Amino acid sequence: MRWILVGASTIAAEFMIAAFRANGHEVVSVVSSDAGRGRAYAERHGIPQAFTALDEALDDPGADAVYISTTNEKHHPQALAAIAAGKHVLCEKPLAMTLAEAREMVAAAAARGVTFATNHHLRCSGSHRAIRDLIAQGRIGRVLSLRIFHAVHLPPHLQGWRIDNPAAGGGVIPDITVHDADVTRFLLGEDPATVVAQMSASGLGQGVEDSAMSVWTMPSGAMVFAHESFTHPFAGSGLEVHGTEGSIFARGVMTQRPLGEIELVGATGRETVHYPGHDLYTMAVAEFAAAAAGTGQPAATGEDGVKSLAVALTVRDAAASGRRQDVNYGDAR
Ligand code: NDP
């Protein structure tokens, strides 16, 4: 595939450009709002062209896909433009600022007949896939609860719009709670139904929350606890799934790299669970390409991105109101 990068972003520089190239794809251009930054970015990453106007980049008939990794408020208009130009779109999470915008993006892609996917990379990790398989095989019996530990320390080079700009989609809930919502849906195969939550600014957030804790109920009766933060240098990430016949303990698995340990504990003892160590983002691009070729599904579809956004927005509403909220998934549920 031949990709246009929309956004001279850190995530593209650190992971996605390499993931495209590892799949044998080309990155043909980058779009930046700043001509100098775009040019420098293109030079640094060996990208042939840099544009400031999205339409000019989209005019390239040789480009067949667009990767959107701008700040969150830009995803919606940029995705609609790319879809209208007939390009397949891989869009960063959160898909948009509102549920209605996210739904519009998914509907536009369906109407235009292009692939539209959400870059929820954790679904692509060998660790999460192994945990999902253990649950699906009944190895822990009926799932009672899932606890997600995703309180990290936001590295200094990412402490820009995320910690002080609500209009750009800042805050830990749109940044990390969306991932935890997707992980929950991926592992348990059902959609959170109700939410209670609290949020706070605990050192980094200025005008946005930098920490959140919430509890979700699932239609099966399982409960989920999710903890996200930008301010925890030594907490470590992980998740636990507890069932009637066993428990899964996964340490260090809420990460961008194929890291972490998984242990399955049951009546017969403890066993270490081994899993494939492929690159998460390379897998995401491979599955996106298969979907665009009509031979597969993206790891996370547009609908998955709508639902993870719906949960995150509900967590914020519940924290702001102090009340339990039903998750509003909008019309196309
Ligand atoms: P960045 O802050 O690195 O980039 C976002 C935008 O900020 C860029 O599009 C760029 O604008 C602008 N920008 C970049 N560098 C500078 C600078 N030095 N001065 C001024 N502006 C600058 O964001 P991230 O890469 O961290 O995140 C981008 C998106 O990707 C977000 O939606 C985020 O949620 C998502 N993300 C997803 C991850 C995942 O694993 N799925 C991981 C990390 C982020 P312009 O393009 O106009 O030059």
Side-chain angles (χ1 to χ4, degrees):
M1 298 188 88
R2 290 162 56 86
W3 289 86
I4 299 168
L5 304 187
V6 178
S9 69
T10 308
I11 177 70
E14 291 184 348
F15 292 96
M16 293 305 291
I17 294 171
F20 295 129
R21 291 175 176 159
N23 275 283
H25 300 181
E26 274 178 69
V27 178
V28 295
S29 61
V30 59
V31 179
S32 168
S33 59
D34 181 281
R37 187 165 63 240
R39 244 190 339 267
Y41 191 96
E43 266 171 36
R44 201 159 53 247
H45 298 291
I47 300 169
Q49 284 187 285
F51 296 96
T52 51
L54 176 58
D55 287 351
E56 282 178 33
L58 293 173
D59 270 347
D60 177 355
D64 40 24
V66 171
Y67 168 61
I68 298 175
S69 62
T70 45
T71 48
N72 303 337
E73 86 289 9
K74 294 183 178 167
H75 297 176
H76 170 252
Q78 291 169 336
L80 291 183
I83 291 164
K87 312 293 187 192
H88 303 294
V89 175
L90 175 59
C91 187
E92 271 306 341
K93 43 51 64 174
L95 281 189
M97 301 290 279
T98 70
L99 197 61
E101 287 175 352
R103 284 232 167 272
E104 189 184 358
M105 294 152 78
V106 173
R112 191 69 172 78
V114 295
T115 296
F116 180 79
T118 314
N119 203 23
H120 275 310
H121 64 292
L122 288 166
R123 281 176 177 250
C124 297
S125 78
S127 60
H128 287 240
R129 290 183 177 189
I131 295 166
R132 183 189 59 167
D133 290 349
L134 290 171
I135 296 168
Q137 290 157 7
R139 298 287 299 277
I140 61 168
R142 179 169 61 84
V143 173
L144 300 169
S145 61
L146 165 64
R147 304 177 190 160
I148 301 181
F149 311 103
H150 211 159
V152 298
H153 190 256
L154 191 65
H157 71 287
L158 296 181
Q159 290 177 15
W161 56 272
R162 275 182 178 80
I163 60 168
D164 68 2
N165 192 344
V172 79
I173 292 174
D175 201 53
I176 306 186
T177 306
V178 276
H179 279 311
D180 294 347
D182 188 64
V183 165
T184 297
R185 295 187 56 253
F186 179 68
L187 295 181
L188 303 188
E190 55 180 346
D191 300 337
T194 70
V195 167
V196 292
Q198 301 251 22
M199 61 184 171
S200 70
S202 59
L204 281 179
Q206 300 152 43
V208 295
E209 80 290 338
D210 61 26
S211 298
M213 286 189 180
S214 53
V215 175
W216 315 340
T217 59
M218 305 298 285
S220 64
M223 293 176 73
V224 177
F225 162 73
H227 179 200
E228 298 86 19
S229 180
F230 288 152
T231 63
H232 287 48
F234 305 110
S237 78
L239 63 85
E240 298 173 358
V241 199
H242 301 287
T244 51
E245 311 296 328
S247 287
I248 298 164
F249 296 88
R251 300 276 174 240
V253 296
M254 307 304 287
T255 164
Q256 295 178 287
R257 299 186 189 279
L259 299 172
E261 299 85 43
I262 310 174
E263 209 176 25
L264 173 64
V265 181
T268 55
R270 297 178 168 267
E271 74 179 80
T272 299
V273 177
H274 300 282
Y275 61 86
H278 55 257
D279 178 74
L280 285 64
Y281 296 96
T282 302
M283 180 68 80
V285 171
E287 294 186 0
F288 181 89
T295 59
Q297 277 291 312
T301 62
E303 187 65 18
D304 291 320
V306 169
K307 289 188 171 180
S308 64
L309 176 65
V311 175
L313 292 172
T314 307
V315 167
R316 212 185 231 164
D317 279 357
S321 69
R323 294 207 177 84
R324 183 170 68 179
Q325 307 263 345
D326 292 340
V327 181
N328 169 21
Y329 290 97
D331 288 341
R333 192 178 184 197

